Amino acid sequence: MPGKTLMWDQTLFRRGEIFEFDHVPEHFAHRDSQLQSLLFGVRPAMQGMRPIDLMCVGPPGTGKTTAVKKAFEELGEHAPGVITVHVNCQANPTRYTIFSSIFHKLIGHAPPSSGVSFRKILDEIARYLIQNEKILIVALDDINYLFYEKEVDNVLYSLLRAHETHPGTKISVIAILSDDRMNYVFDPKVGSIFLPEEILFPVYAWDELKSILRDRAKLGFYDRVISDDVIDVIADYTSDAGDLRVGIDLLKRSGLGAEQRASMTILVDDVHFAYRKSRMLHLSRIISSLSDGERAILAILAKKGAATAGDVYVVFHELMGLGYTRFHTMLNKLVSLRLIDTDFQTAGMHGRSRTIKLRYGADDVLSAVQPTPGT
Ligand SMILES: Nc1ncnc2c1ncn2[C@@H]1O[C@H](COP(=O)(O)OP(=O)(O)OP(=O)(O)O)[C@@H](O)[C@H]1O
Ligand SMILES: [Mg+2]
């Protein structure tokens, strides 16, 4: 590229698609053990057996979706008798839509949109599997979105009991749960048939984040567009958020920012500037998955500033009519999602006197939780 400023028709991006979130990276480092566990779980399918049910658990942006897609790619190459379906439960939040997606993948077109019962769709799926001697693995991604209305119990029950309702079918499930811990209790009748092996996805260490981001930058930008120092700053921000998406989004936005300045290189200031937007994106994404009660807690904190658990509970109880146990569970979830901080050490895990505060700006939180019921 000639000259020091970027011409209007020049770009810093060698391959822009590298920075899209659904891009499956060629090089998937630091997740060897998780990938091994996944492959180990699905391997029985290669001998015609039903695979082991699995559950991938970890905070947002820790590579769960990517790992499952990689494992499915591998299976696609080596196991012709296996059909894998990846369902996004946020986009398909009911048993009917989930089974319609499975039907679509198997048969090649969506089921007729009206007048077809769930039962009929399941019959067709089972018939296809038996006739073609295929084993089906369904990944239920972001299964959290099925937790409301207990839809998750129906979905799992139908999938995992298919071998009883439709003898000869072999279906297994990989659940993907975006959460620091497994705080959902399945219906007892589901709990007895869904006994998955858990695969944990911890947040990446700073060095891991940096090397992943550096790899991406190398592929996505032209040479000399971004320096190691600038990537360090992005790694710092990413590490604070715990979500690799923040870093990938920062790479993209910083690049666009530098282009807007007609600069041939990305500077640290481009990163700082991009961060403000990136942070909002991260926040809205997490908050959109929360329950009304959890949002209410955030809204209360945003209005009050730091407060004791007891004080927040009084307002929460008035608004939502829910008891302390539910409140406590929700608080823990908000801590695990890194939305709030609480001083466990000084006041004890469960104490009403522990202080809670938001990890984000009150205004940002308020605009992301709107509209909050009852306020
Ligand atoms: N080890 C890795 N190497 C390269 N890229 C990675 C790695 N882990 C994650 N990524 C990238 O980070 C982004 C987020 O990863 P992914 O979507 O797999 O996270 P997730 O754990 O499914 O998050 P969520 O719980 O929010 O759905 C993706 O763009 C993915 O390509
Ligand atoms: Mg995911």
Side-chain angles (χ1 to χ4, degrees):
M1 280 184 260
K4 278 213 159 34
T5 41
L6 198 70
M7 306 303 283
W8 70 273
D9 61 344
Q10 289 181 319
T11 175
L12 305 179
F13 293 89
R14 192 202 309 264
R15 286 175 60 196
E17 77 276 9
I18 289 281
F19 302 115
E20 297 306 317
F21 293 144
D22 56 0
H23 169 78
V24 179
E26 294 92 296
H27 183 53
F28 186 51
H30 313 297
R31 284 300 181 231
D32 290 345
S33 78
Q34 286 82 359
L35 204 50
Q36 280 311 312
S37 305
L38 273 163
L39 290 173
F40 188 77
V42 298
R43 206 169 54 183
M46 299 173 76
Q47 281 89 45
M49 293 184 280
R50 201 182 78 84
I52 293 169
D53 296 316
L54 301 168
M55 165 105 92
C56 299
V57 190
T62 50
K64 299 179 297 295
T65 298
T66 309
V68 170
K69 286 189 174 165
K70 284 273 172 199
F72 280 2
E73 270 177 23
E74 190 97 347
L75 265 181
E77 279 163 31
H78 299 108
V82 182
I83 299 181
T84 56
V85 184
H86 177 265
V87 185
N88 181 320
C89 299
Q90 187 176 12
N92 298 286
T94 66
R95 183 173 72 165
Y96 194 88
T97 54
I98 289 171
F99 278 77
S100 296
S101 315
I102 298 170
F103 181 101
H104 194 159
K105 175 83 188 269
L106 263 49
I107 319 283
H109 59 84
S113 58
S114 64
V116 182
S117 66
F118 163 75
R119 178 75 201 194
K120 185 91 174 58
I121 295 180
L122 178 58
D123 288 349
E124 290 289 325
I125 291 172
R127 188 179 18 201
Y128 180 93
L129 294 174
I130 293 166
Q131 267 176 6
N132 296 283
E133 293 184 29
K134 300 281 188 191
I135 294 172
L136 176 66
I137 306 178
V138 180
L140 297 171
D141 202 345
D142 286 329
I143 195 170
N144 333 33
Y145 287 95
L146 302 182
F147 286 180
Y148 314 105
E149 314 291 332
K150 292 221 162 198
E151 199 68 1
V152 66
D153 296 332
N154 288 330
V155 172
L156 289 173
Y157 202 61
S158 304
L159 285 170
L160 297 170
R161 277 203 44 224
H163 66 279
E164 291 172 19
T165 55
H166 299 76
T169 54
K170 292 173 188 151
I171 303 179
S172 79
V173 169
I174 302 180
I176 305 175
L177 180 65
S178 198
D179 204 329
D180 275 8
R181 69 194 81 186
M182 178 57 215
N183 59 4
Y184 184 80
V185 181
F186 291 103
D187 196 294
K189 77 180 184 195
V190 170
S192 65
I193 52 171
F194 187 54
L195 294 159
E197 296 267 335
E198 263 191 32
I199 306 178
L200 297 178
F201 288 71
V203 288
Y204 290 112
W206 192 91
D207 290 350
E208 295 173 334
L209 289 171
K210 164 136 193 213
S211 84
I212 294 169
L213 291 169
R214 198 174 36 203
D215 276 359
R216 280 273 165 128
K218 208 179 272 174
L219 292 170
F221 292 122
Y222 285 105
D223 295 346
R224 287 182 296 280
V225 164
I226 190 163
S227 69
D228 222 44
D229 295 347
V230 175
I231 295 177
D232 279 354
V233 176
I234 295 183
D236 286 344
Y237 277 136
T238 313
S239 171
D240 280 351
D243 180 343
L244 190 49
R245 268 197 209 83
V246 170
I248 293 170
D249 190 59
L250 274 178
L251 286 172
K252 173 175 165 181
R253 284 176 200 269
S254 312
L256 291 172
E259 280 191 347
Q260 205 164 11
R261 295 188 298 106
S263 166
M264 305 277 275
T265 52
I266 298 171
L267 300 179
V268 167
D269 279 345
D270 293 315
V271 179
H272 292 314
F273 186 74
Y275 179 63
R276 165 115 199 115
K277 285 182 179 164
S278 219
R279 193 170 155 91
M280 260 322 269
L281 181 99
H282 176 70
L283 186 64
S284 326
R285 194 175 175 279
I286 310 178
I287 288 182
S288 70
S289 72
L290 298 179
S291 67
D292 289 347
E294 289 152 359
R295 284 172 202 235
I297 295 176
L298 293 178
I300 295 164
L301 276 169
K303 288 174 189 160
K304 263 189 184 300
T308 64
D311 287 347
V312 176
Y313 173 66
V314 171
V315 185
F316 171 84
H317 179 67
E318 203 151 282
L319 271 176
M320 308 299 297
L322 297 171
Y324 192 79
T325 312
R326 293 286 297 283
F327 172 73
H328 177 71
T329 308
M330 291 182 186
L331 269 193
N332 281 343
K333 175 160 174 197
L334 296 175
V335 172
S336 76
L337 290 175
R338 306 165 128 250
L339 290 168
I340 62 174
D341 273 334
T342 149
D343 55 343
F344 286 123
Q345 274 81 20
T346 52
M349 266 290 269
H350 304 280
R352 292 184 192 227
S353 59
R354 63 182 160 148
T355 308
I356 324 169
K357 60 173 190 291
L358 291 170
R359 295 186 83 234
Y360 289 81
D363 292 341
D364 291 350
V365 169
L366 275 180
S367 68
V369 294
Q370 300 301 354
T372 308
T375 55

